[in-house]
Amino acid sequence: MHRLAADSQPIYLARGPRCAMFFTELTGNRIGRIDADGRLREYDIPTPDSRPIAVAVAVAVAAGRRGHMWFTEEAGAAYAELDPDNGRITEHRTDVPGAKLAGLAFDCFGNLWVQYNQPGLIDRVRPDLTTSRYTLPTTAPAS
């Protein structure tokens, strides 16, 4: 049996390249991966205590990024990408003070959409990493 560290607390999972399953470890500050053959791997996130939340695979993103796993960092105020071929994590910081990022997904054009729990925002991140921001009419963000 394969075991995760006691502090891992998996929260979301998504299918990645080569039928591997990826998941965020909320309190463990890692991204986990279980390959089709059952092999377990974990990738440490550079920002301590970042609280990774959602995870999604890039299906039609800029050259060199297809198949990367993307995730949000609730306490790290960033969205990040994991290159599953070399294990490298690249963090992309938001410019929003006090931001708490939550969900993310890709649209059919290869844009990454990032949802904030605080404040009430949604960002559209294009393949070249330029961003459009949408303000939501929320008075009490999710926690």
Side-chain angles (χ1 to χ4, degrees):
M1 175 185 272
H2 306 283
R3 294 197 182 268
L4 295 171
D7 68 348
S8 68
Q9 194 177 1
I11 186 167
Y12 285 99
L13 41 91
R15 183 175 55 92
R18 296 178 287 285
C19 293
M21 294 302 295
F22 288 79
F23 53 93
T24 53
E25 297 183 28
L26 182 65
T27 56
N29 207 53
R30 292 178 296 269
I31 301 299
R33 170 183 178 169
I34 301 173
D35 291 332
D37 64 4
R39 179 179 174 205
L40 172 67
R41 295 185 230 184
E42 294 175 290
Y43 306 93
D44 292 322
I45 297 171
T47 299
D49 302 318
S50 67
R51 292 182 56 87
I53 300 288
V55 64
V57 64
V59 292
V61 183
R65 287 196 163 114
R66 185 181 179 103
H68 285 196
M69 299 305 295
W70 291 71
F71 59 94
T72 54
E73 298 178 10
E74 179 185 56
Y79 56 93
E81 62 182 297
L82 163 66
D83 181 338
D85 291 334
N86 62 24
R88 181 172 172 227
I89 292 176
T90 304
E91 296 173 301
H92 305 278
R93 300 262 171 248
T94 180
D95 60 354
V96 177
K100 291 188 178 183
L101 282 69
L104 79 167
F106 284 92
D107 66 20
C108 62
F109 303 107
N111 298 305
L112 173 66
W113 293 80
V114 180
Q115 178 257 329
Y116 293 66
N117 271 348
Q118 191 174 335
L121 301 172
I122 293 178
D123 283 350
R124 177 180 62 187
V125 183
R126 292 175 192 82
D128 65 1
L129 300 179
T130 59
T131 303
S132 295
R133 181 158 291 146
Y134 301 88
T135 303
L136 304 176
T138 59
T139 56
S143 58

